[in-house]
Amino acid sequence: MAADALDLTMREAVSRMEKVWKIGSAAVVGGVPDQRGASYLGEGVLWCGRCEGAIEERIEDEGWYAASRFYRCSTPSCPPTSAPASEIAAELESLTRQYLAEPEVAAAWRADRLAQLDDRIALARTVLPWCCDQRRRRKLSRSLAIRERMTPGLRVLYLNKPRRELFHFGCALANLITERVMTAGASTQGRPIEQLRDAWLEWFDLYRSLDRLSRRQVRRALGGRTEVKRIDDQWERLQNRVLDLVQETDWVYTGPRTHLTDEKPLKEPWSETPEVMPRERQSLMTWALGARGRHVRLVVTLDVDSGARINVVPARD
């Protein structure tokens, strides 16, 4: 493999395996990092139409497991008007969907997303020689197992550290490749991408059935050492199947391309859950506004009887 030229040390291979798992499972929106400082939707981007002060979310307890969420200007001298959080969230969602529907924004998102996925897949492929070569894999597994045994008080599980590390790496890479193919759209050469998707999902199902169980618990549940051996063989088969497939570079996919509206922050109405996924939703919203190449501000008029409260105006120089 070309990745052999990098001549990774075992320590570097382990470090990159863990990095691939983390970035493969992280929520990424629009090719930009999440707004980590946003504790509520609209934090730092909503401004008062009266005094130009910051609009903030406030929460008032209404008893056990109940709270009232609303938005209010943070300036003390501004009239104390407010608006329900659900209504502000609904308008922010509407604005986000409006901008995401523009062809130029969709094209920019797709280009950013593909470039990001390509970088992550390229990083993962540098580790494949350690995972796919039997000799290197045994050496890697021994090192990981020793590290696990040196951890005091750690419960010995059937899915020990070598199995877990390789599982997380393999499934993360398979997921990245699948997402890349579905984002790019129709391709006519190679293997059906469904083969890779089904392989890592089958491996994931086995992982889920064994997670957090000790080897003794697995043996008792299955009724003997022979059945445990069968599980060992099944694990190895599914693992090798996924690792073989992720080495492929040509895939056939004839389904619809992944679209911006498939992003997780848009799966449910923001008005019904204004407190859910504030960072991810805000990241998608600010990316959509900025992807049009125009700097804007979101100005809020809280005391309106009907119609939109939020206006999109040009940003000041």
Side-chain angles (χ1 to χ4, degrees):
M1 294 182 186
D4 276 320
L6 294 174
D7 195 25
L8 293 181
T9 66
M10 184 163 54
R11 185 185 297 272
E12 290 171 333
V14 171
S15 175
R16 293 191 186 187
M17 284 176 66
E18 293 173 346
K19 186 175 182 180
V20 169
W21 171 33
K22 290 177 182 178
I23 64 177
S25 59
V28 180
V29 181
V32 296
D34 292 340
Q35 302 293 320
R36 293 296 175 185
S39 58
Y40 60 85
L41 182 61
E43 182 178 12
V45 299
L46 299 179
W47 306 97
C48 180
R50 286 177 175 271
C51 69
E52 300 185 351
I55 296 291
E56 299 178 339
E57 184 191 55
R58 304 287 181 85
I59 302 176
E60 290 185 356
D61 291 333
E62 295 182 344
W64 290 101
Y65 307 108
S68 174
R69 294 176 176 269
F70 57 92
Y71 284 78
R72 177 176 292 177
C73 180
S74 61
T75 305
S77 59
C78 199
T81 55
S82 62
S86 59
E87 296 182 11
I88 296 295
E91 287 195 37
L92 291 175
E93 180 187 6
S94 177
L95 281 173
T96 302
R97 289 185 180 275
Q98 174 187 333
Y99 287 124
L100 293 181
E102 297 182 7
E104 62 189 89
V105 174
W109 170 81
R110 199 174 305 282
D112 284 354
R113 189 65 172 148
L114 289 174
Q116 186 181 63
L117 289 168
D118 285 340
D119 288 344
R120 294 181 171 187
I121 292 170
L123 172 67
R125 290 192 185 281
T126 65
V127 192
L128 276 178
W130 276 96
C131 300
C132 298
D133 181 81
Q134 290 293 336
R135 180 181 59 83
R136 292 190 183 188
R137 190 196 302 177
R138 286 194 296 269
K139 186 178 179 182
L140 186 65
S141 296
R142 284 196 298 270
S143 175
L144 291 169
I146 290 173
R147 185 186 302 183
E148 183 179 47
R149 287 196 295 269
M150 291 176 65
T151 305
L154 187 67
R155 183 185 177 206
V156 178
L157 300 174
Y158 175 82
L159 297 177
N160 57 12
K161 189 171 182 63
R163 280 197 175 107
R164 286 179 180 273
E165 292 286 350
L166 207 54
F167 168 79
H168 291 313
F169 169 79
C171 283
L173 178 53
N175 194 26
L176 288 170
I177 293 173
T178 302
E179 186 175 354
R180 204 268 178 217
V181 172
M182 294 178 67
T183 302
S187 55
T188 58
Q189 293 183 339
R191 306 179 67 159
I193 191 63
E194 289 78 12
Q195 291 184 10
L196 177 58
R197 184 193 59 197
D198 294 345
W200 74 259
L201 285 176
E202 188 177 359
W203 195 15
F204 175 77
D205 287 341
L206 180 59
Y207 172 89
R208 187 168 50 184
S209 69
L210 300 170
D211 191 25
R212 302 301 174 187
L213 297 177
S214 68
R215 193 169 183 86
R216 178 177 296 179
Q217 288 174 317
V218 172
R219 186 169 63 246
R220 287 178 177 175
L222 296 177
R225 297 179 184 274
T226 302
E227 289 300 310
V228 174
K229 177 63 167 57
R230 183 183 64 80
I231 291 294
D232 289 342
D233 293 342
Q234 183 182 8
W235 179 274
E236 195 71 15
R237 177 181 63 80
L238 295 178
Q239 174 181 267
N240 290 338
R241 182 185 174 197
V242 170
L243 292 177
D244 285 343
L245 287 172
V246 294
Q247 297 179 70
E248 299 283 346
T249 57
D250 295 323
W251 296 96
V252 172
Y253 175 66
T254 57
R257 293 197 297 181
T258 301
H259 193 266
L260 270 165
T261 53
D262 298 321
E263 292 283 2
K264 191 174 180 181
L266 292 172
K267 290 296 185 183
E268 55 184 317
W270 294 6
S271 60
E272 296 180 5
T273 54
E275 75 284 359
V276 172
M277 301 180 67
R279 292 193 300 267
E280 292 82 357
R281 287 174 174 177
Q282 180 140 324
S283 180
L284 184 60
M285 177 185 69
T286 55
W287 184 89
L289 293 173
R292 303 166 72 246
R294 309 180 189 102
H295 298 291
V296 297
R297 299 173 77 238
L298 300 181
V299 176
V300 183
T301 305
L302 295 171
D303 54 346
V304 295
D305 296 329
S306 61
R309 291 186 173 89
I310 302 175
N311 294 307
V312 181
V313 302
R316 295 172 178 170
D317 295 332

